[in-house]
């Protein structure tokens, strides 16, 4: 088999450490995820035990400080581990479910006290607890400053009332980092509270059915007179909005990396299918139109990958790059939507069938121009940072 430049090309930032991490993530995912990928996606769930297994392999702690049970490293390590898990595990839903702590924990790591980090971060990185981030509400998604879920101080507790929706891992999370309104209207009145499973007044009101990412659960959460101890406030009261925005910048880069991984998987599947499938007396790879489709797919993939690399390196250098992160997310989601669509086309009727991987990737990819900030909101950020 000939070598594809994309399939063998590591990110430019990669060191021997990243190579070893790739190997670990690949071995783990081939053994623990791939054999069950289709069944778990169809079942809309994967076993809870997988969190502990991933933690034992050192994968849940990637990019988290060693002081709190993390494996060290930075976003470049997280990108590499996530890419290999998607490529070798072949279940995007499982990977995003397993990775929901990637958005739930960073505000706690950034702003939490040592005691909060030991209570909330360590058990999640050990795979003992599951965490989720709850910002979106039925009436406020892109417009985070309009969230209504209220937290009113009552002695040593906050009393929380409201609801959240579209929350990844929300159905089985043991702790949820929740954006609440503790102050007046707008972005200045928002705080972050950790709400633990079992707290009276906190419940999962609905498990939501969705287009893709089937193996991960997505929930609607309800808070009714839910009493949360003040010790669970993360950072200063009314300072949550900035923490949410900082979280978004990293999440967007990470989502862009997932798009690259999904597209890479769809591309590999398509090359292999085009070699094996015959029509009109030759493999369909023998038709120039198919070869050109693949050439377009891999070219766009390489371009998006380069942007992810650029953005990651700047991020690690400590540069604030919200505009570049937004560009990277849009470039990667556009590329991924194109690649999975072409992959289905190359697979013909098979590409429309449930047991064929590219059919699932096509559905999984639809989330990326929506989640973590929509394509339109990314363009707003780009326009703002470009100064027009
Ligand atoms: C599978 C899935 C998992 C998710 N996981 C989580 C999670 O774990 N935690 C969490 O908090 N949220 C989560 N979300 C929510 C996600 O972040 C939101 O769906 C997203 O931010 C968009 O918000 P919205 O759905 O309310 O759309 P809206 O904000 O209502 O937007 C609707 C449309 O209007 C457009 N629009 C809005 N404002 C503007 C504007 N100013 N200019 C131009 N166009 C605009 C949008 O781009 C979009 O096309 C998840 C969503 C999904 C689907």
């Amino acid at each position: 088999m000939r070598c594809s430049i994309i399939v063998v090309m590591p990110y430019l930032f990669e060191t021997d450490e990243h190579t070893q991490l790739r190997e670990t993530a690949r071995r783990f995912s081939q053994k623990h995820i791939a054999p069950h990928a289709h069944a778990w996606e169809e079942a809309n769930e994967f076993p809870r035990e997988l969190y502990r297994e991933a933690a034992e392999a050192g994968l849940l702690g990637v990019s988290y400080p060693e002081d709190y049970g993390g494996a060290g490293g930075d976003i470049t390590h997280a990108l590499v581990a996530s890419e290999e898990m998607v490529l070798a595990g072949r279940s995007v839903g499982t990977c995003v479910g397993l990775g929901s702590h990637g958005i739930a924990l960073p505000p706690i790591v950034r702003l939490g006290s040592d005691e909060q980090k030991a209570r909330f971060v360590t058990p999640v990185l050990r795979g003992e607890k599951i965490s989720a981030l709850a910002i979106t509400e039925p009436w406020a998604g892109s417009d985070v400053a309009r969230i209504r879920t209220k937290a009113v101080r009552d002695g040593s507790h906050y009393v929380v009332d409201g609801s959240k929706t579209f929350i990844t891992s929300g159905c089985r999370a043991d702790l949820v980092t929740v954006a609440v309104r503790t102050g007046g209207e707008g972005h200045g009145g928002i705080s972050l509270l950790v709400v633990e499973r079992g707290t009276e007044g906190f419940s999962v009101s609905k498990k939501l059915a969705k287009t893709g990412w089937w193996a991960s659960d997505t929930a609607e959460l309800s808070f009714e007179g839910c009493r949360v101890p003040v010790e669970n406030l993360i950072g200063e009261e009314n300072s949550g909005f900035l923490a949410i925005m900082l979280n978004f910048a990293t999440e967007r880069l990470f989502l862009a990396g997932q798009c690259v991984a999904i597209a890479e998987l769809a591309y590999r599947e398509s090359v292999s299918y085009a070699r094996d499938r015959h029509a009109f007396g030759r493999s369909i790879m023998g038709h120039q139109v198919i070869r050109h489709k693949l050439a377009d797919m891999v070219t766009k993939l390489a371009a998006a990958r380069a942007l992810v690399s650029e953005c990651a390196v700047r991020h690690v250098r400590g540069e604030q790059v919200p505009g570049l992160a937004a560009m990277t997310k849009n470039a990667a989601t556009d590329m991924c939507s194109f690649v999975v669509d072409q992959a289905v086309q190359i697979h013909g009727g098979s590409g429309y069938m449930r047991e064929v991987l590219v059919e699932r990737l096509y559905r999984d990819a639809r989330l990326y121009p929506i989640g973590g900030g929509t394509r339109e909101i990314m363009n707003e950020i780009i326009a703002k940072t470009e100064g027009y």
Side-chain angles (χ1 to χ4, degrees):
M1 176 158 166
R2 286 171 213 89
C3 265
S4 154
I5 185 169
I6 274 296
V7 174
V8 296
M9 189 168 72
Y11 279 114
L12 260 185
F13 55 68
E14 290 190 37
T15 61
D16 289 349
E17 208 176 62
H18 292 90
T19 310
Q20 278 168 21
L21 181 56
R22 269 193 190 283
E23 193 49 42
T24 303
R26 184 180 308 135
R27 266 189 278 112
F28 173 84
S29 308
Q30 278 169 348
K31 181 173 173 197
H32 293 278
I33 303 178
H36 317 284
H38 185 67
W40 289 348
E41 291 284 358
E42 291 290 316
N44 291 282
E45 201 166 50
F46 62 90
R48 218 183 146 99
E49 182 56 22
L50 193 67
Y51 288 91
R52 200 183 289 273
E53 290 166 347
E56 277 165 13
L59 293 170
L60 287 193
V62 172
S63 85
Y64 289 89
E66 290 172 46
D67 291 352
Y68 302 105
D74 53 43
I75 181 87
T76 62
H77 298 86
L79 281 167
V80 160
S82 158
E83 183 182 30
E84 275 308 322
M85 288 176 82
V86 169
L87 289 174
R90 302 164 73 87
S91 167
V92 179
T94 303
C95 293
V96 296
L98 208 52
S100 59
H101 67 295
I103 50 177
L105 295 187
I108 307 176
V109 171
R110 200 174 282 127
L111 300 172
S113 64
D114 286 348
E115 188 268 336
Q116 287 174 328
K117 289 176 198 173
R119 260 176 74 211
F120 301 135
V121 177
T122 306
V124 172
L125 298 184
R126 282 200 195 125
E128 294 162 1
K129 289 191 172 174
I130 298 172
S131 60
L133 175 73
I135 297 173
T136 308
E137 299 184 350
W139 37 81
S142 303
D143 195 357
V144 174
R146 276 189 61 228
I147 63 155
R148 291 189 208 158
T149 297
K150 264 205 315 203
V152 178
R153 182 83 186 251
D154 179 23
S156 59
H157 287 76
Y158 285 99
V159 181
V160 183
D161 284 283
S163 59
K164 297 286 173 180
T165 194
F166 308 150
I167 308 308
T168 302
S169 295
C171 291
R172 54 184 184 175
D174 301 292
L175 46 103
V176 185
T177 309
V178 186
V180 290
R181 184 159 299 286
T182 42
E185 288 186 4
H187 57 77
I190 295 173
S191 301
L192 291 174
L193 273 184
V194 174
V195 181
E196 294 164 272
R197 172 193 278 273
T199 310
E200 217 182 310
F202 168 45
S203 62
V204 176
S205 31
K206 199 173 182 185
K207 179 170 180 172
L208 300 163
K210 54 194 187 293
T211 306
W213 282 22
W214 283 0
S216 77
D217 75 70
T218 306
E220 204 172 85
L221 305 178
S222 161
F223 304 90
E224 286 176 48
C226 174
R227 293 181 70 81
V228 181
V230 288
E231 298 93 75
N232 289 16
L233 174 73
I234 303 300
E236 301 280 311
E237 201 176 84
N238 298 330
S239 68
F241 190 77
L242 180 63
I244 293 169
M245 290 303 126
L246 287 172
N247 216 30
F248 267 142
T250 317
E251 182 187 4
R252 282 162 192 161
L253 172 55
F254 194 72
L255 291 173
Q258 277 180 3
C259 284
V260 165
I262 293 169
E264 208 170 322
L265 191 49
Y267 171 71
R268 288 183 189 189
E269 293 291 300
S270 303
V271 169
S272 162
Y273 188 83
R275 287 203 175 114
D276 291 347
R277 178 73 180 172
H278 281 69
F280 298 96
R282 56 175 124 161
S283 85
I284 59 168
M285 188 66 99
H287 300 291
Q288 190 182 42
V289 166
I290 299 290
R291 291 200 302 275
H292 284 197
K293 274 190 199 301
L294 290 165
D296 282 339
M297 288 158 78
V298 78
T299 303
K300 289 180 198 293
L301 182 43
R305 212 161 190 278
L307 209 43
V308 168
S309 187
E310 163 92 9
C311 190
V313 168
R314 289 185 186 278
H315 190 278
V316 171
R317 278 191 204 152
E319 293 177 33
Q320 292 293 325
V321 287
L324 182 60
M327 287 178 201
T328 304
K329 180 168 185 279
N330 273 0
T333 56
D334 286 355
M335 174 280 295
C336 189
S337 304
F338 172 81
V339 169
V340 294
D341 182 69
Q342 295 297 298
V344 168
Q345 196 63 25
I346 288 170
H347 279 72
S350 305
Y352 201 64
M353 295 299 131
R354 278 275 282 281
E355 71 271 20
V356 173
L357 180 59
V358 295
E359 181 272 345
R360 172 148 53 80
L361 297 177
Y362 178 82
R363 288 186 285 102
D364 291 333
R366 191 62 188 88
L367 180 276
Y368 292 84
I370 300 169
T374 65
R375 193 177 192 290
E376 293 74 20
I377 296 300
M378 293 307 99
N379 274 342
E380 281 298 294
I381 295 171
I382 295 164
K384 206 174 282 174
T385 51
E386 287 300 294
Y388 43 79

